[in-house]
């Protein structure tokens, strides 16, 4: 969607980034596309994203753009100029916010904007799939004290065997069986809630 000299790119109605030029597809804005192939999660910024306006019959490749805001959407990103970010060991492209340097306030409530923050001239998107908890020898993590009910699974070693404890709040979850319809609504919900790609196959014959 074009607004005041910038093109806002959205996925599933959620704002992703803004770019200064957009030459993919045809027709008036806002233009609607189907994502036919996505390599961005594997290859990152600049990797090819195949888009189509006719159900993937004909496709065009858009280089995956970096997260950046200059137009109207910039006001919705959290401003953390004094924040401290530390790279996740083994995953240098993943940064952990260890210190904000200021009070943290949520952006204006909106249903079509994810959680972004700005540090200097760089923008970052919050990924809720990563949760870190303090789990030391003297103070093992307790799910009862954590709003996400997260229990770290740490193997017993000679280092921690003297302080390992079984916590009732960290016992295994139990589930009951229930039929789950594998339709488009369910598959879409899996992606929206847990960012999981789940597929089903039709037309199989059991012999």
């Amino acid at each position: 969607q074009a607004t005041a000299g910038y093109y806002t790119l959205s996925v599933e109605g959620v704002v992703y980034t803004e770019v200064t030029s957009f030459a993919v597809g045809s027709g008036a804005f806002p233009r609607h596309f189907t994502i036919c192939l996505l390599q961005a999660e594997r290859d990152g910024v600049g990797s090819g994203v195949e888009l189509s306006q006719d159900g993937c019959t004909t496709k065009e490749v858009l280089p995956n753009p970096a997260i950046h805001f200059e137009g109207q959407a910039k006001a919705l990103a959290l401003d953390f100029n004094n924040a401290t970010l530390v790279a996740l060991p083994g995953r240098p492209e993943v940064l952990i916010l260890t210190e904000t340097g200021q009070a943290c306030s949520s952006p204006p409530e909106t249903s079509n904007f994810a959680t972004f923050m700005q540090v200097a001239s760089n923008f970052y998107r919050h990924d809720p799939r990563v949760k870190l908890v303090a789990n030391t020898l003297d103070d093992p993590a307790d799910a009862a004290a954590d709003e996400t009910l997260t229990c770290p699974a740490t193997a017993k070693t000679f280092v921690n065997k003297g302080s390992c404890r079984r916590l009732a709040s960290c016992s295994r979850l139990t589930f009951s069986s229930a039929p789950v319809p594998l339709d488009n609504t369910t598959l879409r919900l899996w992606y929206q809630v847990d960012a999981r790609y789940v597929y089903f196959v039709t037309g199989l014959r059991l012999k």
Side-chain angles (χ1 to χ4, degrees):
Q1 181 174 353
T3 305
Y6 296 92
Y7 298 86
T8 302
L9 305 186
S10 303
V11 178
E12 300 286 349
V14 177
V15 174
Y16 176 78
T17 187
E18 288 181 325
V19 295
T20 56
S21 62
F22 188 82
V24 177
S26 60
F29 290 96
R31 296 177 184 172
H32 299 278
F33 298 87
T34 298
I35 299 177
C36 305
L37 178 64
L38 177 66
Q39 298 176 331
E41 290 194 356
R42 182 187 67 190
D43 300 327
V45 174
S47 60
V49 180
E50 292 186 359
L51 303 177
S52 175
Q53 291 179 295
D54 59 6
C56 296
T57 300
T58 57
K59 294 172 283 190
E60 295 184 68
V61 177
L62 171 72
N64 184 42
I67 299 172
H68 189 76
F69 299 106
E70 286 292 345
Q72 182 178 4
K74 184 177 181 180
L76 298 176
L78 299 175
D79 187 1
F80 282 158
N81 280 324
N82 298 321
T84 301
L85 300 174
V86 178
L88 183 67
R91 295 288 302 276
E93 75 279 9
V94 178
L95 300 177
I96 301 171
L97 177 66
T98 59
E99 185 178 355
T100 63
Q102 62 193 63
C104 178
S105 59
S106 300
E109 289 295 329
T110 174
S111 60
N112 63 344
F113 200 84
T115 301
F116 293 91
M117 72 174 183
Q118 180 180 4
V119 180
S121 60
N122 298 317
F123 290 86
Y124 302 91
R125 180 176 180 175
H126 173 241
D127 188 339
R129 292 175 293 179
V130 178
K131 173 66 178 180
L132 302 180
V133 295
N135 185 34
T136 65
L137 296 176
D138 298 327
D139 187 18
D142 185 352
D146 177 36
E147 70 278 5
T148 62
L149 299 179
T150 301
C151 280
T154 304
K156 181 183 289 188
T157 67
F158 71 94
V159 176
N160 63 18
K161 66 179 182 179
S163 58
C164 276
R165 291 187 291 153
R166 288 183 179 273
L167 300 175
S169 56
C170 287
S171 59
R172 290 181 178 273
L173 295 176
T174 58
F175 301 92
S176 58
S177 61
V180 177
L182 287 179
D183 53 21
N184 292 334
T185 300
T186 301
L187 301 186
R188 185 182 184 90
L189 183 62
W190 251 313
Y191 175 77
Q192 291 177 329
V193 173
D194 204 27
R196 291 181 180 273
Y197 293 96
V198 181
Y199 304 88
F200 67 90
V201 179
T202 60
L204 290 180
R205 293 182 295 177
L206 300 178
K207 294 184 178 179

